[in-house]
Amino acid sequence: MNLLVGYTADQRGAEALELAAALVQGTATPSLTISIVVPATTPFSAIYPGGDHGFDSILSDKVDEWAVAALAQVPQGVSAKVVARSVSSVAEGLIELAVEVGAHGVVLGGRKRHRAGFFMPGAVANALLHASPVPVFMSSPQALASLRAANGQITGMTAFVGDRPGAREVIANAAKFATIRKVALRVATLVADSDVSDPATELDPHLVRTKTFLTELTESMGLQASIEVISRQSLDEAIDSLAWEAGEIAILGSSRLAASRRLFVGVNAQRILGKLHVPMAVIPN
Protein backbone atom coordinates (compact mmCIF):
# COMPACT_ATOMS: atom_id res chain seq x y z
CA MET A 1 0.00 0.00 0.00
CA ASN A 2 1.39 3.36 -1.01
CA LEU A 3 0.14 6.67 0.37
CA LEU A 4 1.08 10.23 -0.52
CA VAL A 5 1.66 12.43 2.54
CA GLY A 6 1.08 16.15 2.28
CA TYR A 7 3.97 17.17 4.52
CA THR A 8 4.64 20.47 6.24
CA ALA A 9 7.47 20.96 8.72
CA ASP A 10 5.17 21.42 11.73
CA GLN A 11 2.73 19.51 13.95
CA ARG A 12 0.30 18.97 11.08
CA GLY A 13 3.00 17.31 9.02
CA ALA A 14 3.99 15.07 11.91
CA GLU A 15 0.34 14.08 12.42
CA ALA A 16 -0.03 13.23 8.74
CA LEU A 17 3.10 11.09 8.79
CA GLU A 18 2.00 9.25 11.93
CA LEU A 19 -1.39 8.40 10.45
CA ALA A 20 0.06 7.43 7.08
CA ALA A 21 2.62 5.10 8.69
CA ALA A 22 -0.10 3.42 10.75
CA LEU A 23 -2.24 2.92 7.64
CA VAL A 24 0.48 1.24 5.56
CA GLN A 25 2.21 -0.80 8.27
CA GLY A 26 1.34 -4.46 8.04
CA THR A 27 0.41 -4.29 4.35
CA ALA A 28 2.26 -6.28 1.71
CA THR A 29 4.38 -3.37 0.44
CA PRO A 30 4.17 -0.49 2.93
CA SER A 31 5.46 2.70 1.34
CA LEU A 32 5.06 6.44 1.67
CA THR A 33 5.73 9.23 -0.77
CA ILE A 34 6.25 12.33 1.35
CA SER A 35 5.43 15.45 -0.60
CA ILE A 36 6.98 18.84 0.11
CA VAL A 37 5.36 21.33 -2.22
CA VAL A 38 6.72 24.85 -2.47
CA PRO A 39 5.59 27.97 -4.40
CA ALA A 40 6.19 27.89 -8.12
CA THR A 41 8.54 30.84 -7.80
CA THR A 42 11.00 28.56 -5.99
CA PRO A 43 12.96 26.41 -8.49
CA PHE A 44 12.80 23.08 -6.64
CA SER A 45 11.85 19.89 -8.42
CA ALA A 46 13.68 16.80 -7.20
CA ILE A 47 13.33 13.50 -5.39
CA TYR A 48 15.14 12.74 -2.13
CA PRO A 49 17.02 10.57 -1.30
CA GLY A 50 19.15 9.04 -4.05
CA GLY A 51 21.56 10.53 -6.53
CA ASP A 52 19.71 8.70 -9.31
CA HIS A 53 16.83 11.13 -8.83
CA GLY A 54 18.79 14.36 -8.86
CA PHE A 55 19.11 15.07 -5.14
CA ASP A 56 22.52 16.66 -5.76
CA SER A 57 21.04 19.28 -8.06
CA ILE A 58 18.95 22.20 -6.81
CA LEU A 59 17.23 21.40 -3.47
CA SER A 60 17.77 24.21 -1.04
CA ASP A 61 19.27 23.67 2.39
CA LYS A 62 15.89 24.30 3.99
CA VAL A 63 14.01 21.77 1.89
CA ASP A 64 16.86 19.34 2.47
CA GLU A 65 16.45 19.89 6.21
CA TRP A 66 12.68 19.27 6.02
CA ALA A 67 13.24 16.11 3.98
CA VAL A 68 15.68 14.66 6.49
CA ALA A 69 13.33 15.50 9.38
CA ALA A 70 10.40 13.87 7.59
CA LEU A 71 12.28 10.66 6.83
CA ALA A 72 13.44 10.45 10.45
CA GLN A 73 9.79 10.15 11.52
CA VAL A 74 9.07 7.13 9.32
CA PRO A 75 9.13 3.85 11.31
CA GLN A 76 11.29 0.91 10.36
CA GLY A 77 9.76 -1.44 7.84
CA VAL A 78 8.10 1.33 5.83
CA SER A 79 9.73 2.40 2.58
CA ALA A 80 9.70 6.16 2.08
CA LYS A 81 10.94 8.86 -0.25
CA VAL A 82 10.48 12.61 -0.23
CA VAL A 83 9.41 14.48 -3.34
CA ALA A 84 9.98 18.25 -3.43
CA ARG A 85 8.21 20.12 -6.18
CA SER A 86 7.38 23.68 -7.11
CA VAL A 87 3.69 24.18 -7.85
CA SER A 88 1.28 27.02 -8.51
CA SER A 89 -1.37 25.29 -6.36
CA VAL A 90 -0.55 22.99 -3.45
CA ALA A 91 -3.75 20.97 -3.91
CA GLU A 92 -3.18 20.57 -7.64
CA GLY A 93 0.40 19.56 -6.96
CA LEU A 94 -0.71 16.87 -4.51
CA ILE A 95 -3.29 15.55 -6.95
CA GLU A 96 -0.74 15.39 -9.76
CA LEU A 97 1.74 13.58 -7.52
CA ALA A 98 -0.88 11.13 -6.26
CA VAL A 99 -1.70 10.14 -9.83
CA GLU A 100 1.98 10.09 -10.83
CA VAL A 101 3.09 7.71 -8.06
CA GLY A 102 -0.09 5.61 -8.13
CA ALA A 103 -0.95 6.45 -4.52
CA HIS A 104 -3.90 4.71 -2.88
CA GLY A 105 -4.73 7.98 -1.13
CA VAL A 106 -3.50 11.34 0.14
CA VAL A 107 -2.92 11.86 3.86
CA LEU A 108 -3.24 15.25 5.56
CA GLY A 109 -2.90 16.36 9.17
CA GLY A 110 -4.63 19.04 11.21
CA ARG A 111 -8.40 18.84 10.81
CA LYS A 112 -10.15 22.01 11.96
CA ARG A 113 -13.65 22.67 13.22
CA HIS A 114 -15.99 25.62 12.84
CA ARG A 115 -17.38 27.09 16.05
CA ALA A 116 -20.87 26.03 15.01
CA GLY A 117 -19.74 22.43 14.78
CA PHE A 118 -19.35 22.16 11.02
CA PHE A 119 -16.20 20.72 9.53
CA MET A 120 -13.87 23.50 8.43
CA PRO A 121 -10.89 22.18 6.46
CA GLY A 122 -7.90 24.29 5.68
CA ALA A 123 -7.44 25.66 2.17
CA VAL A 124 -5.51 22.64 0.89
CA ALA A 125 -7.85 20.06 2.45
CA ASN A 126 -10.88 21.96 1.19
CA ALA A 127 -9.53 21.96 -2.35
CA LEU A 128 -8.69 18.25 -2.20
CA LEU A 129 -12.13 17.41 -0.81
CA HIS A 130 -13.63 18.96 -3.92
CA ALA A 131 -11.28 17.65 -6.58
CA SER A 132 -9.18 14.64 -5.54
CA PRO A 133 -9.46 11.48 -7.67
CA VAL A 134 -8.15 9.35 -4.77
CA PRO A 135 -9.26 9.00 -1.13
CA VAL A 136 -8.21 11.75 1.26
CA PHE A 137 -7.24 10.63 4.77
CA MET A 138 -7.29 13.21 7.55
CA SER A 139 -6.15 13.28 11.14
CA SER A 140 -6.24 15.56 14.17
CA PRO A 141 -4.72 15.52 17.66
CA GLN A 142 -7.86 13.85 19.05
CA ALA A 143 -7.87 11.28 16.25
CA LEU A 144 -4.22 10.44 16.86
CA ALA A 145 -4.97 10.00 20.56
CA SER A 146 -7.37 7.23 19.56
CA LEU A 147 -4.76 5.68 17.30
CA ARG A 148 -2.07 5.85 19.96
CA ALA A 149 -4.40 4.20 22.47
CA ALA A 150 -4.31 1.22 20.11
CA ASN A 151 -0.50 1.34 20.00
CA GLY A 152 -0.60 2.78 16.51
CA GLN A 153 -2.55 -0.17 15.14
CA ILE A 154 -5.56 0.12 12.84
CA THR A 155 -8.29 -1.97 14.49
CA GLY A 156 -11.30 -1.52 12.23
CA MET A 157 -12.97 0.34 9.36
CA THR A 158 -16.39 1.96 9.65
CA ALA A 159 -18.20 2.92 6.45
CA PHE A 160 -20.82 5.66 6.79
CA VAL A 161 -23.60 5.14 4.25
CA GLY A 162 -27.28 5.83 3.68
CA ASP A 163 -29.92 3.90 1.79
CA ARG A 164 -29.44 5.80 -1.47
CA PRO A 165 -27.31 5.06 -4.56
CA GLY A 166 -23.64 5.16 -3.75
CA ALA A 167 -23.69 2.99 -0.64
CA ARG A 168 -22.25 0.01 -2.52
CA GLU A 169 -19.20 2.00 -3.66
CA VAL A 170 -18.46 3.34 -0.18
CA ILE A 171 -18.79 -0.11 1.37
CA ALA A 172 -16.63 -1.65 -1.36
CA ASN A 173 -13.84 0.85 -0.77
CA ALA A 174 -14.03 0.45 3.00
CA ALA A 175 -13.95 -3.32 2.57
CA LYS A 176 -10.88 -3.02 0.36
CA PHE A 177 -9.02 -1.08 3.04
CA ALA A 178 -10.26 -3.46 5.73
CA THR A 179 -8.99 -6.43 3.74
CA ILE A 180 -5.60 -4.79 3.15
CA ARG A 181 -5.28 -4.09 6.87
CA LYS A 182 -6.88 -7.40 7.93
CA VAL A 183 -9.39 -5.72 10.25
CA ALA A 184 -13.14 -5.88 10.81
CA LEU A 185 -15.61 -3.89 8.72
CA ARG A 186 -18.57 -2.01 10.17
CA VAL A 187 -21.32 -0.34 8.13
CA ALA A 188 -23.09 2.49 9.95
CA THR A 189 -26.09 4.62 9.06
CA LEU A 190 -27.19 7.65 11.07
CA VAL A 191 -30.89 8.45 11.12
CA ALA A 192 -32.50 11.62 12.48
CA ASP A 193 -36.20 12.09 13.21
CA SER A 194 -36.34 14.66 10.42
CA ASP A 195 -35.47 11.95 7.88
CA VAL A 196 -39.14 10.85 7.91
CA SER A 197 -42.34 12.88 7.68
CA ASP A 198 -43.96 11.43 10.80
CA PRO A 199 -41.44 9.92 13.26
CA ALA A 200 -44.18 8.46 15.46
CA THR A 201 -45.45 6.17 12.71
CA GLU A 202 -42.72 6.06 10.06
CA LEU A 203 -39.43 5.95 11.95
CA ASP A 204 -39.43 2.32 13.12
CA PRO A 205 -40.40 0.89 9.70
CA HIS A 206 -37.74 3.10 8.11
CA LEU A 207 -35.09 1.75 10.47
CA VAL A 208 -36.08 -1.83 9.71
CA ARG A 209 -35.99 -1.22 5.95
CA THR A 210 -32.62 0.49 6.20
CA LYS A 211 -31.00 -2.32 8.19
CA THR A 212 -32.49 -4.94 5.88
CA PHE A 213 -31.21 -3.06 2.84
CA LEU A 214 -27.68 -2.80 4.22
CA THR A 215 -27.63 -6.41 5.41
CA GLU A 216 -28.74 -7.70 2.02
CA LEU A 217 -26.33 -5.36 0.24
CA THR A 218 -23.26 -6.49 2.18
CA GLU A 219 -24.27 -10.14 1.83
CA SER A 220 -24.69 -9.72 -1.94
CA MET A 221 -21.14 -8.34 -2.01
CA GLY A 222 -19.85 -11.39 -0.17
CA LEU A 223 -18.77 -9.31 2.81
CA GLN A 224 -18.81 -9.99 6.50
CA ALA A 225 -19.71 -6.74 8.23
CA SER A 226 -21.51 -5.60 11.32
CA ILE A 227 -24.48 -3.33 10.56
CA GLU A 228 -25.45 -0.46 12.85
CA VAL A 229 -28.41 1.84 12.24
CA ILE A 230 -28.24 4.64 14.81
CA SER A 231 -31.42 6.63 15.39
CA ARG A 232 -31.64 9.81 17.43
CA GLN A 233 -33.61 13.03 17.38
CA SER A 234 -30.88 14.86 15.47
CA LEU A 235 -27.92 13.93 13.29
CA ASP A 236 -25.51 15.38 15.85
CA GLU A 237 -26.98 13.20 18.60
CA ALA A 238 -26.73 10.14 16.35
CA ILE A 239 -23.07 10.89 15.64
CA ASP A 240 -22.30 11.37 19.33
CA SER A 241 -23.97 8.09 20.28
CA LEU A 242 -21.87 5.94 17.95
CA ALA A 243 -19.28 3.96 19.91
CA TRP A 244 -15.69 3.70 18.68
CA GLU A 245 -12.81 1.39 19.43
CA ALA A 246 -9.34 2.86 19.70
CA GLY A 247 -7.66 2.63 16.32
CA GLU A 248 -10.78 2.64 14.14
CA ILE A 249 -10.92 4.58 10.88
CA ALA A 250 -14.08 6.26 9.53
CA ILE A 251 -14.78 6.07 5.79
CA LEU A 252 -17.23 8.47 4.14
CA GLY A 253 -18.35 8.74 0.55
CA SER A 254 -18.32 11.76 -1.68
CA SER A 255 -21.56 13.62 -2.33
CA ARG A 256 -23.68 12.42 -5.23
CA LEU A 257 -23.19 15.91 -6.67
CA ALA A 258 -19.53 15.12 -7.30
CA ALA A 259 -18.24 14.47 -10.78
CA SER A 260 -17.17 10.92 -11.54
CA ARG A 261 -14.01 9.93 -9.65
CA ARG A 262 -13.88 13.25 -7.85
CA LEU A 263 -14.63 14.33 -4.30
CA PHE A 264 -17.32 16.70 -3.12
CA VAL A 265 -18.32 16.80 0.54
CA GLY A 266 -22.00 17.26 1.29
CA VAL A 267 -23.61 18.92 4.32
CA ASN A 268 -24.17 15.71 6.32
CA ALA A 269 -20.63 14.51 5.64
CA GLN A 270 -19.32 17.87 6.85
CA ARG A 271 -21.17 17.46 10.15
CA ILE A 272 -19.85 13.93 10.59
CA LEU A 273 -16.30 15.02 9.74
CA GLY A 274 -16.49 17.84 12.25
CA LYS A 275 -17.68 15.74 15.18
CA LEU A 276 -15.67 12.54 14.91
CA HIS A 277 -12.53 12.07 17.00
CA VAL A 278 -11.03 9.27 14.91
CA PRO A 279 -8.95 9.33 11.74
CA MET A 280 -11.11 9.42 8.63
CA ALA A 281 -11.12 9.16 4.88
CA VAL A 282 -13.39 10.53 2.17
CA ILE A 283 -13.50 8.52 -1.05
CA PRO A 284 -14.29 9.82 -4.56
CA ASN A 285 -17.68 9.41 -6.21
Side-chain angles (χ1 to χ4, degrees), residues 219-254:
E219 290 177 350
S220 72
M221 298 170 69
L223 301 175
Q224 290 187 340
S226 61
I227 309 295
E228 293 190 25
V229 179
I230 310 297
S231 173
R232 293 294 186 273
Q233 186 172 359
S234 70
L235 179 63
D236 286 349
E237 291 177 356
I239 298 170
D240 291 338
S241 66
L242 191 62
W244 293 90
E245 291 185 9
E248 271 193 271
I249 305 292
I251 309 287
L252 293 88
S254 182

Coordinates of all heavy atoms in Angstrom, one line a residue, residues 219-254:
E219 N -24.3 -8.7 2.1 CA -24.3 -10.1 1.8 C -24.1 -10.4 0.3 O -23.4 -11.3 -0.1 CB -25.5 -10.8 2.4 CG -25.6 -10.9 3.9 CD -26.9 -11.5 4.4 OE1 -27.8 -11.6 3.6 OE2 -27.0 -11.7 5.6
S220 N -24.8 -9.6 -0.5 CA -24.7 -9.7 -1.9 C -23.3 -9.4 -2.4 O -22.9 -9.9 -3.5 CB -25.7 -8.8 -2.6 OG -25.3 -7.4 -2.6
M221 N -22.5 -8.7 -1.7 CA -21.1 -8.3 -2.0 C -20.2 -9.4 -1.5 O -19.0 -9.2 -1.7 CB -20.8 -6.9 -1.5 CG -21.6 -5.8 -2.1 SD -21.4 -4.2 -1.3 CE -19.7 -3.8 -1.8
G222 N -20.7 -10.4 -0.8 CA -19.8 -11.4 -0.2 C -19.0 -10.9 1.0 O -17.9 -11.4 1.2
L223 N -19.5 -9.9 1.7 CA -18.8 -9.3 2.8 C -19.3 -9.7 4.2 O -20.5 -9.9 4.3 CB -18.8 -7.8 2.7 CG -18.3 -7.2 1.4 CD1 -18.5 -5.7 1.4 CD2 -16.8 -7.5 1.3
Q224 N -18.4 -9.8 5.1 CA -18.8 -10.0 6.5 C -18.6 -8.6 7.2 O -17.5 -8.1 7.3 CB -18.0 -11.1 7.2 CG -18.2 -12.5 6.7 CD -17.5 -13.5 7.5 OE1 -16.5 -13.2 8.2 NE2 -17.9 -14.7 7.5
A225 N -19.7 -8.1 7.6 CA -19.7 -6.7 8.2 C -20.8 -6.6 9.3 O -21.9 -7.2 9.1 CB -19.9 -5.7 7.2
S226 N -20.5 -5.9 10.3 CA -21.5 -5.6 11.3 C -22.3 -4.4 10.8 O -21.7 -3.5 10.2 CB -20.9 -5.3 12.7 OG -20.0 -4.2 12.6
I227 N -23.6 -4.4 11.0 CA -24.5 -3.3 10.6 C -25.1 -2.6 11.8 O -25.6 -3.2 12.7 CB -25.6 -3.9 9.7 CG1 -25.1 -4.8 8.6 CG2 -26.5 -2.7 9.1 CD1 -24.3 -4.1 7.6
E228 N -24.9 -1.3 11.8 CA -25.5 -0.5 12.8 C -26.3 0.7 12.2 O -25.8 1.5 11.4 CB -24.3 0.1 13.7 CG -23.6 -0.9 14.5 CD -22.7 -0.3 15.6 OE1 -23.0 0.8 16.0 OE2 -21.7 -1.0 15.9
V229 N -27.5 0.7 12.6 CA -28.4 1.8 12.2 C -28.7 2.6 13.5 O -29.4 2.2 14.4 CB -29.7 1.3 11.6 CG1 -30.6 2.5 11.2 CG2 -29.4 0.5 10.4
I230 N -28.1 3.8 13.6 CA -28.2 4.6 14.8 C -29.3 5.7 14.6 O -29.2 6.5 13.7 CB -26.9 5.3 15.1 CG1 -25.8 4.3 15.1 CG2 -27.0 6.1 16.4 CD1 -25.9 3.2 16.2
S231 N -30.3 5.7 15.5 CA -31.4 6.6 15.4 C -31.5 7.5 16.6 O -31.5 7.0 17.7 CB -32.7 5.9 15.2 OG -33.8 6.8 15.3
R232 N -31.5 8.8 16.4 CA -31.6 9.8 17.4 C -32.5 11.0 16.9 O -32.8 11.0 15.7 CB -30.3 10.3 17.9 CG -29.4 9.3 18.6 CD -30.0 8.8 19.9 NE -29.1 7.9 20.7 CZ -29.1 6.6 20.5 NH1 -29.9 6.0 19.6 NH2 -28.3 5.9 21.2
Q233 N -32.8 11.9 17.8 CA -33.6 13.0 17.4 C -32.9 13.9 16.3 O -33.6 14.4 15.4 CB -34.0 13.9 18.6 CG -35.0 15.0 18.3 CD -35.4 15.7 19.6 OE1 -35.0 15.3 20.7 NE2 -36.3 16.7 19.4
S234 N -31.6 14.1 16.4 CA -30.9 14.9 15.5 C -29.7 14.1 15.0 O -29.2 13.1 15.6 CB -30.4 16.2 16.1 OG -29.4 15.9 17.1
L235 N -29.1 14.6 13.8 CA -27.9 13.9 13.3 C -26.8 14.0 14.3 O -26.0 13.1 14.5 CB -27.6 14.6 12.0 CG -26.3 14.0 11.3 CD1 -26.5 12.6 10.9 CD2 -26.0 14.8 10.0
D236 N -26.6 15.2 14.9 CA -25.5 15.4 15.8 C -25.6 14.4 17.0 O -24.6 13.8 17.4 CB -25.5 16.8 16.4 CG -25.0 17.8 15.4 OD1 -24.5 17.4 14.3 OD2 -25.2 19.0 15.6
E237 N -26.8 14.2 17.5 CA -27.0 13.2 18.6 C -26.7 11.8 18.1 O -26.1 11.0 18.9 CB -28.4 13.3 19.1 CG -28.7 14.6 19.9 CD -30.2 14.6 20.3 OE1 -31.0 13.7 20.0 OE2 -30.6 15.6 21.0
A238 N -27.0 11.5 16.9 CA -26.7 10.1 16.3 C -25.2 9.9 16.2 O -24.7 8.9 16.6 CB -27.4 10.0 15.0
I239 N -24.5 11.0 15.8 CA -23.1 10.9 15.6 C -22.4 10.7 17.0 O -21.6 9.8 17.2 CB -22.5 12.2 15.0 CG1 -23.0 12.4 13.6 CG2 -21.0 12.1 15.0 CD1 -22.7 13.7 13.0
D240 N -22.9 11.4 18.0 CA -22.3 11.4 19.3 C -22.6 10.0 20.0 O -21.8 9.6 20.9 CB -22.9 12.5 20.2 CG -22.4 13.9 19.8 OD1 -21.3 13.9 19.1 OD2 -23.0 14.9 20.1
S241 N -23.6 9.3 19.6 CA -24.0 8.1 20.3 C -23.3 6.9 19.7 O -23.3 5.8 20.3 CB -25.5 7.9 20.2 OG -25.9 7.6 18.9
L242 N -22.6 7.1 18.6 CA -21.9 5.9 18.0 C -20.6 5.6 18.7 O -19.8 6.5 19.0 CB -21.5 6.3 16.5 CG -21.0 5.2 15.6 CD1 -22.1 4.1 15.5 CD2 -20.6 5.7 14.2
A243 N -20.4 4.4 19.1 CA -19.3 4.0 19.9 C -18.1 3.6 19.0 O -18.3 3.1 17.9 CB -19.6 2.7 20.7
W244 N -16.9 3.9 19.5 CA -15.7 3.7 18.7 C -14.7 2.9 19.5 O -14.5 3.2 20.7 CB -15.1 5.0 18.2 CG -15.9 5.8 17.2 CD1 -16.9 6.7 17.5 CD2 -15.9 5.6 15.8 NE1 -17.5 7.1 16.4 CE2 -16.9 6.5 15.3 CE3 -15.2 4.8 14.9 CZ2 -17.2 6.6 13.9 CZ3 -15.4 4.9 13.6 CH2 -16.4 5.8 13.1
E245 N -14.0 2.0 18.8 CA -12.8 1.4 19.4 C -11.6 2.2 19.1 O -11.5 2.9 18.1 CB -12.6 0.0 18.9 CG -13.7 -1.0 19.3 CD -13.3 -2.4 18.8 OE1 -12.2 -2.6 18.3 OE2 -14.2 -3.3 18.9
A246 N -10.6 2.2 20.0 CA -9.3 2.9 19.7 C -8.7 2.3 18.4 O -8.7 1.0 18.3 CB -8.4 2.7 20.9
G247 N -8.3 3.1 17.5 CA -7.7 2.6 16.3 C -8.6 2.4 15.1 O -8.1 2.0 14.1
E248 N -9.9 2.8 15.3 CA -10.8 2.6 14.1 C -10.6 3.8 13.2 O -10.2 4.9 13.6 CB -12.2 2.6 14.6 CG -12.8 1.2 14.9 CD -14.3 1.2 15.1 OE1 -14.8 1.4 16.2 OE2 -15.0 1.0 14.1
I249 N -11.0 3.6 11.9 CA -10.9 4.6 10.9 C -12.3 4.8 10.3 O -13.0 3.8 10.1 CB -10.0 4.2 9.7 CG1 -8.6 3.9 10.3 CG2 -9.9 5.3 8.7 CD1 -7.8 5.1 10.8
A250 N -12.8 6.0 10.1 CA -14.1 6.3 9.5 C -13.9 6.5 8.0 O -13.0 7.2 7.6 CB -14.7 7.5 10.2
I251 N -14.8 5.9 7.2 CA -14.8 6.1 5.8 C -16.1 6.7 5.4 O -17.2 6.2 5.7 CB -14.6 4.7 5.1 CG1 -13.4 4.0 5.6 CG2 -14.5 4.9 3.6 CD1 -12.1 4.5 5.2
L252 N -16.0 7.8 4.7 CA -17.2 8.5 4.1 C -17.2 8.6 2.6 O -16.1 8.6 2.1 CB -17.4 9.9 4.7 CG -17.7 10.0 6.2 CD1 -16.4 10.0 7.0 CD2 -18.5 11.2 6.5
G253 N -18.3 8.6 2.0 CA -18.4 8.7 0.6 C -18.6 10.2 0.1 O -19.1 11.0 0.9
S254 N -18.1 10.5 -1.1 CA -18.3 11.8 -1.7 C -19.8 12.0 -2.0 O -20.6 11.1 -2.1 CB -17.5 11.9 -3.0 OG -17.6 13.1 -3.6

